Amino acid sequence: MLFCSSGHVLMPPINMKSFIYSGLMQPRQFFLLHELSTPTLRCTQFSALTQISCKKKNCITVQVCNSVQPNTYSSAASTKSSLTITADSDRKPGGPTSLYSRPSLHQMKNEKIANRSRINQFLRDLGIIPDELDGLELPVSIEVMRERVDFLHKLGLTIEDINNYPLVLGCSVKKNMIPVLDYLGKLGVRKASLAEFLRRYPQVLHASVVIDLQPVVKYLQGMDIKPNDIPRVLEKYPELLGFKLEGTMSTSVAYLVGIGVGRREIGGVLTRYPEILGMRVGRVIKPFVEHLESLGIPRLAVARLIEKRPLILGFNLDNQVKPNVNSLVEYNVRKEMLPSVIAQYPDIIGLELKHKLHSQRNFLESILELDVKDTGVLIEKMPQVVSLTQSSILKHVNFLKTSGFSPAQVKKMIIGCPQLLALNLDIMRLNFEYFQNEMHRDLDDLVNFPAFFTFGLESTIRPRHEIVAKKGLKCSLAWLLNCSDDRFEERMSYDSFDIQEMEVEPSFDMRTLTEPRSDETDSDGDYESYSDEDC
């Protein structure tokens, strides 16, 4: 209540109300507003200044100046009010009239540029070249970027590895890297191979486990790759995690089945050489198969070679296969024998062959006095001779010479049976001792049939010799050994036979590659439908 100097009441009590003006101001900003009552004041003249101040932040101060005439009062006509509004204390003077304080787009752009400049300088100080990172969203904090680099170091990646694929710095440790690495670990990918895995395919850190990785693993399982083999397959060829199932992966498998690769063999083929899943049919696999066919190798035989040695599909047709075939012909391998040579030793078309041929021919000529054409004969009978070490060859030649054979006899034996250069020397010694001590034959028998050394002593030589000796028969080593067990038993059942009968069996028979398997079914694949434009 307010009183005059005489003690009379000048005006009734003032009621104050507080309310939130939500449409205009932020929370906690509110008015304190006088609500004046209407009764008449009984003071002849009154002039007062009422001020309510609020010390709290974001409060609005209201000043009300009242002029009251005697016996009358009108809040609408005789009241002159002025409102002074004070905004947030952190608002800059001279700024916009909005109650919000926010940076402008220009300020935001400048701040982003400054942050990116600091990150780039941090990377340069580490030796990382950030030029390829333009346009890539990177963390604004140096601490976060340092965490990513340190994490990659712990995985075994070097600064050079990061520079080879700097986009890996765009991967979040928690959101990208850890989920992918956890999944690979659960599959069985070894920690020891993880660094090399990421060097070959760092893009895997960008992948989604559910969308990208799991479907590929399920596809591999569907190809009869054993669960324990899947991590080894991924370690050999991590890039396949980036392939689409409906693309190269499915068409390459379909083509192989189409030419005769057994469905039950696909799992083993892919386990040994998973790179097949990334090969284009029309550009790689089909031309390779057709070239081997043009050399005289039947299509089904090519399929069997792929089953036995799937690595041959990785040989470059123009840079390896064709030049090597030409080199074989140049070193006196007959063209009609090329299919046999390749079928016996498929790797020969993928070697650095010309240098090997030149080196081996010179060495063999020096220790055996071979003629130029003899090298071709050796290769036709045993193509692996091009890969034998010269020290091994020399040991076997010396064994024969120290066993009593003349250089001319050694040459004849090697040309007749080049396998002598690759046999286990201990086994050769045992066979030779039995030949001398139990069979009591002349050395010429071995010269005429040097393949004697290739037969097992306990499995073949001893039991057959004892049977013949018991019957009192005399026969050549070739007649005794160069036949199957069934054929030998048949011979022993004859009442009479030509004791000098000899079956000369080829060292390799292409028919062994084309005989159908009992577990095979007809293929649904139509490999002729593939073109050079296929994936």
Side-chain angles (χ1 to χ4, degrees):
M1 298 178 64
L2 301 178
F3 299 90
C4 293
S5 58
S6 60
H8 291 88
V9 178
L10 295 178
M11 58 186 303
I14 299 174
N15 296 325
M16 296 184 183
K17 293 185 179 181
S18 300
F19 60 94
I20 297 174
Y21 199 76
S22 60
L24 176 63
M25 311 191 70
Q26 297 178 359
R28 298 183 302 165
Q29 293 178 338
F30 54 88
F31 287 111
L32 294 179
L33 184 65
H34 292 293
E35 186 179 51
L36 302 177
S37 55
T38 56
T40 304
L41 299 177
R42 294 186 179 276
C43 185
T44 57
Q45 189 173 5
F46 169 73
S47 176
L49 176 65
T50 303
Q51 178 174 340
I52 301 174
S53 63
C54 180
K55 296 181 180 180
K56 293 183 179 181
K57 183 180 179 181
N58 300 331
C59 183
I60 293 179
T61 301
V62 181
Q63 287 185 333
V64 180
C65 182
N66 299 316
S67 179
V68 183
Q69 298 298 327
N71 299 325
T72 63
Y73 176 78
S74 174
S75 62
S78 61
T79 302
K80 180 179 179 182
S81 299
S82 64
L83 299 181
T84 303
I85 300 178
T86 304
D88 291 346
S89 59
D90 58 353
R91 180 173 159 193
K92 297 179 181 180
T97 57
S98 170
L99 296 178
Y100 292 100
S101 177
R102 65 176 69 178
S104 66
L105 293 176
H106 182 70
Q107 291 173 327
M108 294 173 64
K109 182 178 180 180
N110 289 341
E111 183 177 357
K112 184 177 181 179
I113 293 174
N115 288 335
R116 190 54 174 262
S117 178
R118 287 192 292 269
I119 292 295
N120 287 348
Q121 187 58 49
F122 168 74
L123 295 176
R124 288 191 183 95
D125 292 341
L126 295 177
I128 299 173
I129 303 172
D131 297 350
E132 295 184 24
L133 300 178
D134 293 342
L136 182 67
E137 191 69 27
L138 295 179
V140 298
S141 168
I142 291 179
E143 287 72 21
V144 175
M145 181 56 74
R146 180 181 288 109
E147 178 190 12
R148 293 186 184 182
V149 175
D150 291 344
F151 189 80
L152 293 172
H153 283 328
K154 291 178 182 178
L155 295 176
L157 298 183
T158 64
I159 295 297
E160 182 181 358
D161 296 328
I162 297 175
N163 277 328
N164 289 334
Y165 187 73
L167 297 180
V168 73
L169 295 174
C171 295
S172 167
V173 172
K174 294 181 180 179
K175 294 180 180 180
N176 301 110
M177 300 186 192
I178 290 179
V180 168
L181 296 174
D182 283 346
Y183 180 69
L184 294 177
K186 290 177 182 178
L187 288 176
V189 175
R190 297 167 296 181
K191 289 184 178 180
S193 66
L194 196 56
E196 182 61 25
F197 187 105
L198 295 176
R199 286 189 190 99
R200 291 185 57 182
Y201 188 60
Q203 296 91 333
V204 71
L205 295 177
H206 294 285
S208 164
V209 171
V210 176
I211 297 175
D212 301 318
L213 306 186
Q214 288 182 351
V216 174
V217 172
K218 289 181 180 178
Y219 177 84
L220 297 177
Q221 293 171 339
M223 290 290 102
D224 293 331
I225 297 178
K226 298 177 182 179
N228 292 338
D229 290 331
I230 286 180
R232 304 293 85 81
V233 168
L234 296 179
E235 290 174 0
K236 289 180 182 178
Y237 193 46
E239 292 89 343
L240 66 84
L241 288 173
F243 296 149
K244 293 184 178 180
L245 305 184
E246 65 277 8
T248 305
M249 295 176 72
S250 60
T251 55
S252 60
V253 171
Y255 178 82
L256 293 179
V257 173
I259 66 171
V261 175
R263 285 186 175 87
R264 296 185 180 182
E265 304 295 326
I266 287 293
V269 168
L270 297 180
T271 299
R272 283 174 287 159
Y273 195 60
E275 288 84 350
I276 291 174
L277 292 171
M279 292 181 177
R280 295 179 179 273
V281 171
R283 298 181 183 178
V284 180
I285 303 179
K286 187 170 182 282
F288 176 85
V289 171
E290 290 179 344
H291 183 70
L292 294 188
E293 285 186 86
S294 70
L295 296 175
I297 304 177
R299 184 182 308 159
L300 187 56
V302 176
R304 296 290 185 269
L305 292 178
I306 293 173
E307 291 176 2
K308 292 170 56 179
R309 193 66 172 155
L311 178 66
I312 63 175
L313 287 174
F315 298 154
N316 186 280
L317 182 59
D318 294 323
N319 297 333
Q320 291 178 297
V321 178
K322 292 180 179 180
N324 284 353
V325 170
N326 293 335
S327 294
L328 290 172
V329 175
E330 180 183 345
Y331 280 79
N332 300 299
V333 175
R334 293 169 293 175
K335 289 184 178 181
E336 61 270 21
M337 294 301 296
L338 287 174
S340 175
V341 169
I342 296 172
Q344 290 182 73
Y345 188 41
D347 286 13
I348 199 170
I349 57 177
L351 301 174
E352 294 292 334
L353 188 57
K354 192 161 188 176
H355 173 73
K356 286 181 176 291
L357 287 172
H358 179 74
S359 175
Q360 290 295 66
R361 185 178 67 178
N362 291 342
F363 179 72
L364 291 170
E365 288 178 354
S366 67
I367 64 172
L368 295 175
E369 299 182 358
L370 296 181
D371 297 331
V372 175
K373 293 183 179 180
D374 291 336
T375 304
V377 175
L378 289 179
I379 296 172
E380 290 176 3
K381 291 185 176 181
M382 193 186 77
Q384 293 85 348
V385 71
V386 301
S387 297
L388 295 179
T389 63
Q390 294 181 358
S391 61
S392 176
I393 293 175
L394 189 59
K395 288 179 181 179
H396 287 77
V397 170
N398 288 337
F399 166 75
L400 294 175
K401 289 181 177 180
T402 56
S403 297
F405 298 99
S406 67
Q409 288 176 322
V410 172
K411 174 183 176 180
K412 182 178 179 180
M413 293 173 71
I414 297 297
I415 294 175
C417 183
Q419 289 78 9
L420 295 181
L421 298 175
L423 294 176
N424 185 298
L425 280 175
D426 292 334
I427 293 177
M428 291 181 69
R429 289 191 181 95
L430 290 175
N431 285 9
F432 185 69
E433 289 173 1
Y434 184 81
F435 175 83
Q436 282 188 314
N437 299 331
E438 301 294 334
M439 301 181 76
H440 305 290
R441 288 174 174 263
D442 294 332
L443 290 182
D444 285 341
D445 289 346
L446 287 179
V447 174
N448 293 327
F449 189 70
F452 168 84
F453 289 100
T454 66
F455 291 89
L457 176 60
E458 300 301 330
S459 63
T460 305
I461 297 175
R462 187 190 298 275
R464 291 191 184 185
H465 169 69
E466 291 177 351
I467 293 174
V468 171
K470 187 176 181 180
K471 287 182 174 287
L473 302 175
K474 289 187 179 295
C475 60
S476 67
L477 291 177
W479 188 91
L480 177 69
L481 300 174
N482 196 27
C483 61
S484 65
D485 289 340
D486 292 339
R487 178 59 172 156
F488 179 77
E489 291 180 6
E490 185 180 353
R491 286 177 176 178
M492 293 298 100
S493 66
Y494 289 167
D495 292 333
S496 63
F497 46 81
D498 184 357
I499 205 68
Q500 295 303 322
E501 177 189 356
M502 176 178 173
E503 295 179 358
V504 179
E505 297 181 357
S507 58
F508 178 79
D509 187 355
M510 185 69 70
R511 290 175 297 180
T512 59
L513 293 178
T514 57
E515 294 176 354
R517 289 188 293 250
S518 59
D519 61 341
E520 286 183 352
T521 58
D522 292 337
S523 172
D524 296 330
D526 180 10
Y527 76 97
E528 296 295 344
S529 64
Y530 293 94
S531 67
D532 294 340
E533 300 303 321
D534 286 323
C535 295

